[in-house]
Coordinates of all heavy atoms in Angstrom, one line a residue:
M1 N -9.2 -33.3 15.2 CA -10.1 -32.7 14.2 C -10.9 -33.8 13.5 O -10.4 -34.9 13.5 CB -9.3 -31.8 13.3 CG -8.3 -32.6 12.5 SD -7.5 -31.6 11.2 CE -8.7 -31.8 9.9
Q2 N -11.9 -33.4 12.9 CA -12.7 -34.3 12.1 C -12.6 -34.0 10.6 O -12.5 -32.9 10.2 CB -14.2 -34.2 12.5 CG -14.5 -34.9 13.8 CD -16.0 -34.9 14.1 OE1 -16.7 -34.0 13.7 NE2 -16.5 -36.0 14.7
C3 N -12.7 -35.1 9.9 CA -12.7 -34.9 8.4 C -14.0 -34.2 8.0 O -15.1 -34.6 8.4 CB -12.7 -36.3 7.7 SG -13.0 -36.2 6.0
P4 N -13.9 -33.1 7.4 CA -15.1 -32.3 7.0 C -16.0 -32.9 6.0 O -17.2 -32.6 5.8 CB -14.5 -31.0 6.5 CG -13.2 -31.3 6.0 CD -12.7 -32.4 6.9
I5 N -15.5 -34.0 5.4 CA -16.2 -34.7 4.3 C -17.1 -35.8 4.9 O -18.3 -35.9 4.7 CB -15.3 -35.2 3.2 CG1 -14.3 -34.2 2.7 CG2 -16.1 -35.9 2.1 CD1 -14.9 -33.1 1.9
C6 N -16.4 -36.6 5.7 CA -17.1 -37.8 6.3 C -17.2 -37.8 7.8 O -17.9 -38.7 8.4 CB -16.5 -39.1 5.7 SG -14.8 -39.4 6.5
G7 N -16.5 -36.9 8.5 CA -16.7 -36.8 9.9 C -15.7 -37.8 10.7 O -15.8 -37.9 11.9
N8 N -14.9 -38.5 10.0 CA -13.9 -39.4 10.5 C -12.9 -38.7 11.4 O -12.5 -37.6 11.1 CB -13.2 -40.2 9.4 CG -12.3 -41.3 10.0 OD1 -12.6 -41.9 11.0 ND2 -11.2 -41.5 9.3
E9 N -12.6 -39.2 12.6 CA -11.6 -38.5 13.5 C -10.2 -38.6 12.9 O -9.8 -39.7 12.5 CB -11.7 -39.2 14.8 CG -10.9 -38.4 15.9 CD -11.5 -37.0 16.1 OE1 -12.7 -36.8 16.0 OE2 -10.7 -36.1 16.4
L10 N -9.6 -37.5 12.8 CA -8.2 -37.5 12.2 C -7.3 -36.8 13.2 O -7.6 -36.1 14.1 CB -8.2 -36.6 10.9 CG -9.2 -37.1 9.8 CD1 -9.2 -36.0 8.7 CD2 -8.7 -38.4 9.1
S11 N -6.0 -37.1 13.0 CA -4.9 -36.4 13.8 C -4.9 -35.0 13.3 O -5.1 -34.7 12.1 CB -3.6 -37.1 13.7 OG -3.2 -37.1 12.3
P12 N -4.5 -34.0 14.1 CA -4.5 -32.6 13.7 C -3.6 -32.3 12.5 O -4.0 -31.3 11.7 CB -3.9 -31.9 14.9 CG -4.2 -32.8 16.1 CD -4.1 -34.2 15.5
D13 N -2.6 -33.1 12.3 CA -1.7 -32.8 11.2 C -1.9 -33.7 10.0 O -1.1 -33.8 9.1 CB -0.3 -32.8 11.6 CG 0.1 -34.2 12.3 OD1 -0.8 -34.9 12.6 OD2 1.3 -34.5 12.4
A14 N -3.1 -34.4 10.0 CA -3.4 -35.3 8.9 C -3.5 -34.5 7.6 O -4.1 -33.4 7.5 CB -4.7 -36.0 9.2
V15 N -3.0 -35.1 6.5 CA -3.1 -34.5 5.2 C -4.1 -35.2 4.3 O -4.4 -34.8 3.2 CB -1.8 -34.4 4.5 CG1 -0.9 -33.3 5.2 CG2 -1.1 -35.7 4.4
N16 N -4.5 -36.4 4.8 CA -5.6 -37.1 4.1 C -6.4 -38.0 5.0 O -6.0 -38.2 6.2 CB -5.0 -38.0 2.9 CG -3.9 -38.9 3.4 OD1 -4.1 -39.6 4.4 ND2 -2.8 -39.0 2.6
C17 N -7.6 -38.4 4.6 CA -8.5 -39.1 5.4 C -8.5 -40.6 4.9 O -8.7 -40.8 3.7 CB -9.9 -38.5 5.3 SG -11.2 -39.5 6.1
E18 N -8.2 -41.4 5.8 CA -8.1 -42.9 5.5 C -9.5 -43.4 5.1 O -9.6 -44.4 4.4 CB -7.5 -43.7 6.6 CG -6.0 -43.4 6.8 CD -5.5 -44.0 8.1 OE1 -6.2 -44.7 8.7 OE2 -4.3 -43.7 8.4
K19 N -10.5 -42.9 5.7 CA -11.8 -43.4 5.5 C -12.4 -43.1 4.1 O -12.9 -44.0 3.4 CB -12.8 -42.9 6.6 CG -14.1 -43.7 6.7 CD -14.9 -43.2 7.9 CE -16.3 -43.9 7.9 NZ -17.1 -43.2 8.9
C20 N -12.4 -41.8 3.8 CA -13.1 -41.4 2.5 C -12.1 -41.0 1.5 O -12.4 -40.8 0.3 CB -14.1 -40.3 2.8 SG -13.3 -38.7 3.2
G21 N -10.8 -40.9 1.8 CA -9.8 -40.6 0.8 C -9.6 -39.1 0.5 O -8.9 -38.7 -0.4
A22 N -10.4 -38.3 1.3 CA -10.2 -36.8 1.0 C -8.8 -36.4 1.4 O -8.1 -36.9 2.2 CB -11.2 -36.1 1.9
T23 N -8.4 -35.4 0.6 CA -7.0 -34.9 0.9 C -7.0 -33.4 1.2 O -7.9 -32.6 0.7 CB -6.1 -35.0 -0.3 OG1 -6.7 -34.5 -1.5 CG2 -5.7 -36.5 -0.5
R24 N -6.1 -33.0 2.1 CA -6.0 -31.6 2.5 C -5.0 -30.9 1.6 O -3.9 -31.3 1.4 CB -5.6 -31.4 3.9 CG -5.7 -30.0 4.4 CD -5.5 -29.9 5.9 NE -4.1 -30.3 6.2 CZ -3.6 -30.2 7.5 NH1 -4.3 -29.8 8.5 NH2 -2.3 -30.5 7.7
V25 N -5.5 -29.8 1.0 CA -4.5 -29.0 0.1 C -4.4 -27.6 0.7 O -5.4 -27.0 1.1 CB -5.0 -29.0 -1.4 CG1 -4.9 -30.4 -2.0 CG2 -6.4 -28.4 -1.5
T26 N -3.2 -27.1 0.6 CA -3.0 -25.7 1.1 C -3.0 -24.8 -0.2 O -2.3 -25.2 -1.2 CB -1.7 -25.5 1.9 OG1 -0.7 -26.1 1.1 CG2 -1.8 -26.2 3.2
Q27 N -3.7 -23.7 -0.1 CA -3.6 -22.8 -1.3 C -3.9 -21.4 -0.8 O -4.3 -21.2 0.3 CB -4.7 -23.3 -2.3 CG -6.1 -23.2 -1.7 CD -7.2 -23.6 -2.8 OE1 -6.9 -24.3 -3.6 NE2 -8.4 -23.0 -2.6
R28 N -3.6 -20.5 -1.7 CA -3.9 -19.1 -1.4 C -5.2 -18.7 -2.0 O -5.7 -19.3 -2.9 CB -2.8 -18.2 -2.1 CG -1.4 -18.5 -1.4 CD -0.3 -17.8 -2.2 NE 1.0 -18.4 -1.7 CZ 2.1 -17.7 -1.7 NH1 2.2 -16.5 -2.1 NH2 3.2 -18.3 -1.2
T29 N -5.8 -17.6 -1.5 CA -7.0 -17.1 -2.1 C -6.7 -16.5 -3.5 O -5.5 -16.2 -3.7 CB -7.6 -16.0 -1.3 OG1 -6.7 -14.9 -1.2 CG2 -7.9 -16.5 0.2
P30 N -7.7 -16.4 -4.4 CA -7.4 -15.9 -5.7 C -6.7 -14.5 -5.6 O -5.8 -14.2 -6.4 CB -8.8 -15.8 -6.4 CG -9.5 -16.9 -5.7 CD -9.0 -16.9 -4.3
V31 N -7.2 -13.7 -4.7 CA -6.6 -12.4 -4.5 C -5.2 -12.5 -4.0 O -4.3 -11.8 -4.5 CB -7.4 -11.5 -3.6 CG1 -6.7 -10.2 -3.2 CG2 -8.8 -11.3 -4.1
G32 N -5.0 -13.5 -3.1 CA -3.6 -13.7 -2.6 C -2.6 -14.1 -3.7 O -1.5 -13.7 -3.7
V33 N -3.1 -15.0 -4.6 CA -2.3 -15.4 -5.8 C -1.9 -14.2 -6.6 O -0.8 -14.0 -7.0 CB -3.0 -16.5 -6.6 CG1 -2.2 -16.8 -7.9 CG2 -3.2 -17.7 -5.8
L34 N -2.9 -13.4 -6.9 CA -2.7 -12.2 -7.7 C -1.8 -11.2 -7.1 O -0.8 -10.7 -7.7 CB -4.1 -11.5 -7.9 CG -4.2 -10.5 -9.1 CD1 -4.2 -11.2 -10.4 CD2 -5.5 -9.7 -8.9
V35 N -2.0 -11.0 -5.8 CA -1.1 -10.1 -5.1 C 0.3 -10.6 -5.0 O 1.3 -9.9 -5.1 CB -1.7 -9.8 -3.6 CG1 -0.6 -9.1 -2.8 CG2 -2.9 -9.0 -3.7
G36 N 0.4 -12.0 -4.9 CA 1.7 -12.6 -4.9 C 2.5 -12.4 -6.2 O 3.7 -12.1 -6.2
W37 N 1.8 -12.5 -7.3 CA 2.4 -12.2 -8.6 C 2.8 -10.8 -8.7 O 3.9 -10.5 -9.3 CB 1.4 -12.6 -9.8 CG 1.4 -14.0 -10.1 CD1 0.5 -15.0 -9.8 CD2 2.5 -14.7 -10.8 NE1 0.9 -16.2 -10.3 CE2 2.1 -16.1 -10.9 CE3 3.7 -14.3 -11.3 CZ2 2.9 -17.0 -11.5 CZ3 4.5 -15.3 -11.9 CH2 4.1 -16.6 -12.0
L38 N 1.9 -9.9 -8.2 CA 2.2 -8.4 -8.2 C 3.5 -8.2 -7.4 O 4.4 -7.4 -7.8 CB 1.1 -7.7 -7.7 CG 0.8 -6.2 -8.1 CD1 0.6 -6.1 -9.6 CD2 -0.4 -5.7 -7.3
G39 N 3.6 -8.8 -6.3 CA 4.7 -8.7 -5.4 C 6.0 -9.2 -6.0 O 7.1 -8.5 -5.9
M40 N 5.9 -10.3 -6.7 CA 7.1 -10.9 -7.4 C 7.5 -10.0 -8.5 O 8.7 -9.8 -8.8 CB 6.7 -12.3 -8.0 CG 6.6 -13.4 -7.0 SD 8.1 -13.7 -6.1 CE 9.0 -14.5 -7.4
T41 N 6.5 -9.4 -9.2 CA 6.9 -8.5 -10.4 C 7.6 -7.2 -9.9 O 8.6 -6.8 -10.4 CB 5.6 -8.0 -11.1 OG1 4.8 -9.2 -11.5 CG2 5.9 -7.2 -12.3
V42 N 7.0 -6.6 -8.8 CA 7.7 -5.5 -8.2 C 9.1 -5.8 -7.7 O 10.0 -5.1 -7.9 CB 6.8 -4.9 -7.0 CG1 7.6 -3.8 -6.3 CG2 5.5 -4.4 -7.5
A43 N 9.2 -7.0 -7.1 CA 10.5 -7.5 -6.5 C 11.5 -7.6 -7.6 O 12.7 -7.2 -7.5 CB 10.3 -8.8 -5.8
L44 N 11.0 -8.2 -8.8 CA 11.9 -8.4 -9.9 C 12.3 -7.1 -10.5 O 13.5 -6.8 -10.8 CB 11.1 -9.2 -11.0 CG 12.0 -9.7 -12.2 CD1 12.9 -10.8 -11.7 CD2 11.1 -10.3 -13.3
L45 N 11.4 -6.1 -10.7 CA 11.7 -4.8 -11.2 C 12.7 -4.1 -10.4 O 13.6 -3.5 -10.8 CB 10.4 -4.0 -11.3 CG 9.4 -4.3 -12.5 CD1 8.1 -3.5 -12.4 CD2 10.1 -4.0 -13.8
W46 N 12.5 -4.2 -9.0 CA 13.4 -3.5 -8.1 C 14.7 -4.2 -8.0 O 15.8 -3.6 -7.7 CB 12.7 -3.4 -6.7 CG 12.3 -2.0 -6.4 CD1 12.8 -1.2 -5.5 CD2 11.3 -1.3 -7.1 NE1 12.2 0.0 -5.6 CE2 11.2 0.0 -6.6 CE3 10.4 -1.6 -8.2 CZ2 10.4 1.0 -7.0 CZ3 9.5 -0.6 -8.6 CH2 9.5 0.7 -8.0
A47 N 14.8 -5.5 -8.3 CA 16.0 -6.2 -8.4 C 16.9 -5.7 -9.6 O 18.1 -5.5 -9.5 CB 15.8 -7.7 -8.5
I48 N 16.2 -5.4 -10.7 CA 16.8 -4.8 -11.9 C 17.2 -3.4 -11.6 O 18.3 -3.0 -11.9 CB 15.8 -4.9 -13.1 CG1 15.5 -6.3 -13.5 CG2 16.4 -4.1 -14.3 CD1 14.4 -6.5 -14.4
L49 N 16.3 -2.6 -10.9 CA 16.6 -1.3 -10.5 C 17.8 -1.2 -9.6 O 18.6 -0.3 -9.6 CB 15.4 -0.6 -9.9 CG 15.4 0.9 -9.6 CD1 15.3 1.6 -10.9 CD2 14.3 1.3 -8.7
G50 N 17.9 -2.2 -8.7 CA 18.9 -2.2 -7.7 C 20.3 -2.7 -8.2 O 21.3 -2.6 -7.5
A51 N 20.2 -3.4 -9.4 CA 21.4 -4.0 -9.9 C 22.6 -3.0 -10.0 O 23.8 -3.4 -9.7 CB 21.1 -4.6 -11.3
P52 N 22.4 -1.7 -10.4 CA 23.5 -0.8 -10.5 C 24.2 -0.6 -9.1 O 25.4 -0.1 -9.1 CB 22.8 0.6 -10.9 CG 21.6 0.1 -11.6 CD 21.1 -1.1 -10.9
L53 N 23.5 -0.9 -8.0 CA 24.1 -0.8 -6.7 C 25.4 -1.6 -6.6 O 26.2 -1.3 -5.7 CB 23.1 -1.2 -5.6 CG 22.0 -0.2 -5.3 CD1 21.1 -0.8 -4.2 CD2 22.6 1.1 -4.7
L54 N 25.4 -2.7 -7.4 CA 26.6 -3.6 -7.3 C 27.8 -2.9 -7.9 O 28.9 -3.3 -7.6 CB 26.3 -4.9 -8.1 CG 25.1 -5.7 -7.5 CD1 24.8 -6.9 -8.4 CD2 25.4 -6.2 -6.1
I55 N 27.6 -1.9 -8.8 CA 28.8 -1.3 -9.5 C 28.9 0.1 -9.1 O 30.0 0.7 -9.2 CB 28.7 -1.5 -11.0 CG1 27.3 -1.0 -11.6 CG2 28.9 -2.9 -11.4 CD1 27.3 -0.8 -13.1
L56 N 27.8 0.8 -8.7 CA 27.9 2.2 -8.4 C 29.0 2.6 -7.4 O 29.7 3.6 -7.6 CB 26.5 2.7 -7.9 CG 25.5 3.1 -9.0 CD1 24.2 3.5 -8.4 CD2 26.1 4.2 -9.9
P57 N 29.2 1.8 -6.3 CA 30.2 2.2 -5.4 C 31.6 2.2 -6.0 O 32.5 2.9 -5.4 CB 30.2 1.1 -4.3 CG 28.8 0.5 -4.5 CD 28.5 0.6 -5.9
F58 N 31.8 1.6 -7.1 CA 33.1 1.6 -7.8 C 33.3 2.6 -8.9 O 34.3 2.7 -9.5 CB 33.4 0.1 -8.3 CG 33.2 -0.9 -7.3 CD1 32.1 -1.7 -7.3 CD2 34.1 -1.1 -6.2 CE1 31.9 -2.7 -6.4 CE2 33.9 -2.0 -5.2 CZ 32.8 -2.9 -5.3
T59 N 32.2 3.3 -9.1 CA 32.2 4.4 -10.1 C 32.4 5.7 -9.5 O 32.3 5.9 -8.2 CB 30.9 4.4 -10.9 OG1 29.8 4.8 -10.1 CG2 30.6 3.1 -11.5
E60 N 32.7 6.7 -10.3 CA 32.9 8.1 -9.8 C 31.6 8.7 -9.2 O 31.6 9.5 -8.4 CB 33.4 9.0 -10.9 CG 34.9 8.8 -11.2 CD 35.3 9.6 -12.4 OE1 34.6 10.6 -12.7 OE2 36.4 9.4 -13.0
R61 N 30.5 8.2 -9.8 CA 29.2 8.7 -9.3 C 28.9 8.3 -7.9 O 28.3 9.1 -7.2 CB 28.1 8.2 -10.3 CG 27.3 9.3 -10.9 CD 26.2 8.7 -11.8 NE 24.9 9.0 -11.3 CZ 23.8 8.3 -11.5 NH1 23.9 7.2 -12.2 NH2 22.7 8.6 -11.0
G62 N 29.3 7.1 -7.6 CA 29.0 6.7 -6.2 C 27.5 6.3 -6.0 O 26.7 6.5 -6.9
I63 N 27.2 6.0 -4.8 CA 25.8 5.6 -4.5 C 24.9 6.7 -3.9 O 23.8 6.5 -3.6 CB 25.7 4.4 -3.5 CG1 26.4 4.7 -2.2 CG2 26.3 3.1 -4.2 CD1 26.2 3.6 -1.2
S64 N 25.5 7.9 -3.8 CA 24.7 9.0 -3.2 C 23.7 9.5 -4.2 O 22.7 10.1 -3.8 CB 25.7 10.2 -2.9 OG 26.4 10.6 -4.0
G65 N 23.9 9.3 -5.5 CA 23.0 9.8 -6.5 C 21.8 8.8 -6.7 O 20.9 9.0 -7.5
F66 N 21.9 7.7 -6.0 CA 20.9 6.6 -6.2 C 19.5 7.1 -5.5 O 19.6 7.7 -4.4 CB 21.3 5.3 -5.5 CG 20.5 4.1 -5.9 CD1 20.7 3.6 -7.2 CD2 19.6 3.6 -5.1 CE1 19.9 2.5 -7.6 CE2 18.8 2.5 -5.5 CZ 19.0 2.0 -6.7
P67 N 18.4 6.9 -6.2 CA 17.1 7.3 -5.6 C 16.7 6.4 -4.4 O 15.8 5.6 -4.6 CB 16.1 7.2 -6.8 CG 16.7 6.2 -7.7 CD 18.2 6.3 -7.5
W68 N 17.4 6.5 -3.3 CA 17.1 5.7 -2.2 C 15.7 5.6 -1.7 O 15.1 4.6 -1.4 CB 18.1 6.1 -1.0 CG 19.5 5.7 -1.3 CD1 20.5 6.4 -1.6 CD2 20.0 4.3 -1.3 NE1 21.6 5.7 -1.8 CE2 21.3 4.4 -1.6 CE3 19.4 3.0 -1.1 CZ2 22.1 3.3 -1.7 CZ3 20.2 1.9 -1.2 CH2 21.5 2.0 -1.5
P69 N 15.0 6.8 -1.5 CA 13.6 6.8 -1.0 C 12.7 6.0 -1.9 O 12.0 5.1 -1.4 CB 13.2 8.3 -1.0 CG 14.5 9.0 -0.9 CD 15.5 8.2 -1.7
V70 N 12.8 6.1 -3.2 CA 12.0 5.4 -4.2 C 12.3 3.9 -4.0 O 11.4 3.1 -4.0 CB 12.3 5.9 -5.6 CG1 11.4 5.1 -6.6 CG2 11.9 7.4 -5.7
F71 N 13.6 3.6 -4.0 CA 14.0 2.2 -3.9 C 13.5 1.5 -2.6 O 12.9 0.5 -2.7 CB 15.6 2.2 -3.9 CG 16.1 0.8 -4.0 CD1 16.0 0.0 -5.2 CD2 16.7 0.2 -2.9 CE1 16.5 -1.2 -5.3 CE2 17.2 -1.1 -3.0 CZ 17.1 -1.8 -4.1
I72 N 13.6 2.2 -1.5 CA 13.2 1.7 -0.2 C 11.7 1.5 -0.2 O 11.2 0.4 0.2 CB 13.7 2.5 1.0 CG1 15.2 2.4 1.1 CG2 13.0 2.1 2.3 CD1 15.9 3.4 1.9
V73 N 10.9 2.5 -0.7 CA 9.5 2.4 -0.7 C 9.1 1.1 -1.6 O 8.2 0.4 -1.2 CB 8.8 3.7 -1.3 CG1 7.4 3.4 -1.7 CG2 8.9 4.8 -0.3
G74 N 9.8 1.0 -2.7 CA 9.5 -0.2 -3.6 C 9.7 -1.5 -2.9 O 8.9 -2.5 -3.0
V75 N 10.8 -1.6 -2.1 CA 11.2 -2.8 -1.4 C 10.1 -3.1 -0.3 O 9.6 -4.2 -0.2 CB 12.5 -2.7 -0.7 CG1 12.8 -3.8 0.2 CG2 13.6 -2.6 -1.8
V76 N 9.7 -2.0 0.3 CA 8.6 -2.2 1.3 C 7.3 -2.7 0.7 O 6.6 -3.5 1.2 CB 8.4 -0.9 2.2 CG1 7.2 -1.0 3.1 CG2 9.6 -0.6 3.0
I77 N 6.9 -2.0 -0.4 CA 5.7 -2.5 -1.1 C 5.8 -3.9 -1.5 O 4.9 -4.7 -1.3 CB 5.5 -1.5 -2.3 CG1 5.1 -0.1 -1.9 CG2 4.4 -2.1 -3.3 CD1 5.0 0.9 -3.0
A78 N 6.9 -4.3 -2.1 CA 7.1 -5.7 -2.6 C 7.0 -6.7 -1.4 O 6.3 -7.7 -1.5 CB 8.4 -5.8 -3.3
A79 N 7.7 -6.3 -0.3 CA 7.6 -7.1 0.9 C 6.2 -7.2 1.4 O 5.7 -8.3 1.8 CB 8.6 -6.6 1.9
G80 N 5.5 -6.1 1.4 CA 4.1 -6.1 1.9 C 3.2 -6.9 1.1 O 2.4 -7.6 1.7
L81 N 3.3 -6.8 -0.2 CA 2.5 -7.6 -1.1 C 2.7 -9.1 -0.9 O 1.8 -9.9 -0.9 CB 2.8 -7.2 -2.6 CG 2.3 -5.8 -3.0 CD1 2.8 -5.5 -4.4 CD2 0.8 -5.7 -3.0
L82 N 4.0 -9.5 -0.8 CA 4.3 -10.9 -0.7 C 3.9 -11.4 0.7 O 3.5 -12.5 0.8 CB 5.9 -11.1 -0.9 CG 6.4 -10.9 -2.3 CD1 7.9 -10.9 -2.3 CD2 5.8 -11.9 -3.2
W83 N 4.0 -10.5 1.7 CA 3.5 -10.9 3.0 C 2.0 -11.1 3.0 O 1.6 -12.1 3.6 CB 3.9 -9.8 4.0 CG 3.4 -10.2 5.4 CD1 4.0 -11.0 6.3 CD2 2.1 -9.7 5.9 NE1 3.2 -11.1 7.4 CE2 2.0 -10.3 7.2 CE3 1.2 -8.9 5.5 CZ2 0.9 -10.1 8.1 CZ3 0.1 -8.6 6.3 CH2 0.0 -9.2 7.6
Y84 N 1.3 -10.2 2.4 CA -0.1 -10.4 2.3 C -0.5 -11.7 1.6 O -1.4 -12.4 2.1 CB -0.8 -9.2 1.6 CG -2.2 -9.4 1.3 CD1 -3.2 -9.3 2.4 CD2 -2.7 -9.8 0.1 CE1 -4.5 -9.6 2.1 CE2 -4.0 -10.1 -0.1 CZ -4.9 -10.0 0.9 OH -6.3 -10.3 0.7
S85 N 0.2 -11.9 0.5 CA -0.1 -13.1 -0.3 C 0.1 -14.4 0.6 O -0.7 -15.3 0.6 CB 0.8 -13.2 -1.5 OG 0.6 -14.4 -2.3
K86 N 1.2 -14.3 1.3 CA 1.5 -15.5 2.1 C 0.4 -15.7 3.2 O 0.1 -16.8 3.7 CB 2.9 -15.3 2.8 CG 3.5 -16.6 3.2 CD 5.0 -16.4 3.3 CE 5.7 -17.7 3.6 NZ 5.9 -17.9 5.0
S87 N -0.1 -14.5 3.7 CA -1.1 -14.6 4.8 C -2.4 -15.2 4.4 O -3.3 -15.5 5.2 CB -1.2 -13.2 5.4 OG -2.0 -12.4 4.6
T88 N -2.6 -15.3 3.1 CA -3.9 -15.8 2.6 C -3.9 -17.3 2.4 O -4.8 -17.9 2.0 CB -4.3 -15.2 1.2 OG1 -3.4 -15.6 0.2 CG2 -4.4 -13.6 1.3
V89 N -2.7 -17.9 2.7 CA -2.6 -19.4 2.6 C -3.5 -20.0 3.6 O -3.5 -19.7 4.8 CB -1.2 -19.8 2.8 CG1 -1.0 -21.3 2.9 CG2 -0.2 -19.3 1.8
H90 N -4.3 -21.0 3.1 CA -5.2 -21.7 4.0 C -5.3 -23.1 3.4 O -5.0 -23.4 2.3 CB -6.6 -21.0 4.0 CG -7.3 -20.9 2.7 ND1 -6.8 -20.1 1.7 CD2 -8.3 -21.6 2.2 CE1 -7.6 -20.2 0.6 NE2 -8.5 -21.2 0.9
S91 N -5.9 -24.0 4.2 CA -6.0 -25.4 3.8 C -7.5 -25.7 3.6 O -8.3 -25.3 4.4 CB -5.3 -26.3 4.7 OG -5.9 -26.2 6.0
I92 N -7.8 -26.4 2.6 CA -9.1 -26.9 2.3 C -9.1 -28.4 2.1 O -8.1 -28.9 1.7 CB -9.8 -26.2 1.1 CG1 -9.0 -26.4 -0.1 CG2 -10.1 -24.7 1.4 CD1 -9.7 -26.1 -1.4
W93 N -10.2 -29.1 2.4 CA -10.3 -30.5 2.1 C -11.0 -30.7 0.8 O -12.1 -30.1 0.5 CB -11.0 -31.2 3.3 CG -10.2 -31.3 4.5 CD1 -10.0 -30.4 5.4 CD2 -9.3 -32.4 4.8 NE1 -9.1 -30.8 6.4 CE2 -8.7 -32.1 6.0 CE3 -9.1 -33.6 4.2 CZ2 -7.8 -32.9 6.7 CZ3 -8.2 -34.5 4.9 CH2 -7.6 -34.2 6.1
V94 N -10.5 -31.6 0.0 CA -11.1 -31.9 -1.3 C -11.5 -33.4 -1.3 O -10.7 -34.2 -0.8 CB -10.3 -31.5 -2.5 CG1 -10.2 -30.0 -2.7 CG2 -8.9 -32.1 -2.4
R95 N -12.6 -33.7 -1.9 CA -13.0 -35.1 -1.9 C -12.1 -35.9 -2.9 O -11.5 -35.3 -3.8 CB -14.5 -35.2 -2.5 CG -15.5 -34.8 -1.6 CD -16.8 -34.7 -2.3 NE -17.8 -33.9 -1.4 CZ -18.5 -34.5 -0.5 NH1 -18.4 -35.8 -0.2 NH2 -19.4 -33.7 0.2
K96 N -12.0 -37.1 -2.6 CA -11.2 -38.0 -3.5 C -11.9 -38.0 -4.9 O -13.1 -38.1 -5.0 CB -11.2 -39.4 -3.0 CG -10.3 -40.3 -3.7 CD -10.4 -41.7 -3.1 CE -9.4 -42.7 -3.8 NZ -9.6 -44.1 -3.3
E97 N -11.0 -37.8 -5.9 CA -11.5 -37.9 -7.3 C -11.7 -39.3 -7.7 O -10.8 -40.1 -7.6 CB -10.5 -37.2 -8.2 CG -10.4 -35.7 -7.9 CD -9.3 -35.0 -8.7 OE1 -9.0 -35.5 -9.8 OE2 -8.7 -34.1 -8.2
D98 N -12.9 -39.6 -8.2 CA -13.1 -41.0 -8.7 C -12.7 -41.1 -10.1 O -13.0 -40.3 -10.9 CB -14.6 -41.3 -8.6 CG -15.2 -40.8 -7.3 OD1 -15.0 -41.4 -6.3 OD2 -15.9 -39.8 -7.4
Ligands
LIG1 ZN1 -13.1 -38.4 5.4

């Protein structure tokens, strides 16, 4: 591959350019970052919601009264959001800061 800043030939896995000092940074898109936070929030909320699962089997109520469909949908949504966020990761080259 070539350095997009100066055109210097680089190895495919190069993270910086020896000629112009540009560095490659990996980042998510702004939407990806936002969705990532959303996914983390849902995951956290569901972790709290799922906490009773640790004790419910030992109570008289059992886990049959647990809202499984809601819980599973939430887990799927959180996983989907986090997956989408991860899929927006891309690398860009930035010029050396003087
Ligand atoms: Zn360069």
Side-chain angles (χ1 to χ4, degrees):
M1 61 174 273
Q2 281 190 326
C3 172
I5 310 291
C6 70
N8 186 32
E9 192 61 36
L10 301 167
S11 61
D13 56 344
V15 290
N16 55 43
C17 173
E18 289 170 6
K19 195 176 173 189
C20 70
T23 51
R24 186 173 67 174
V25 292
T26 52
Q27 60 177 29
R28 296 170 192 211
T29 62
V31 174
V33 172
L34 196 71
V35 170
W37 276 107
L38 207 62
M40 287 297 288
T41 306
V42 173
L44 190 70
L45 285 173
W46 253 247
I48 294 166
L49 188 72
L53 283 175
L54 297 173
I55 51 162
L56 276 178
F58 308 105
T59 65
E60 282 179 19
R61 235 180 116 205
I63 56 171
S64 57
F66 195 77
W68 287 107
V70 177
F71 186 71
I72 291 165
V73 166
V75 169
V76 170
I77 288 172
L81 289 174
L82 291 173
W83 175 84
Y84 170 77
S85 176
K86 202 157 185 267
S87 74
T88 67
V89 171
H90 62 286
S91 59
I92 57 162
W93 284 85
V94 289
R95 287 172 196 275
K96 187 182 183 183
E97 292 169 36
D98 321 282

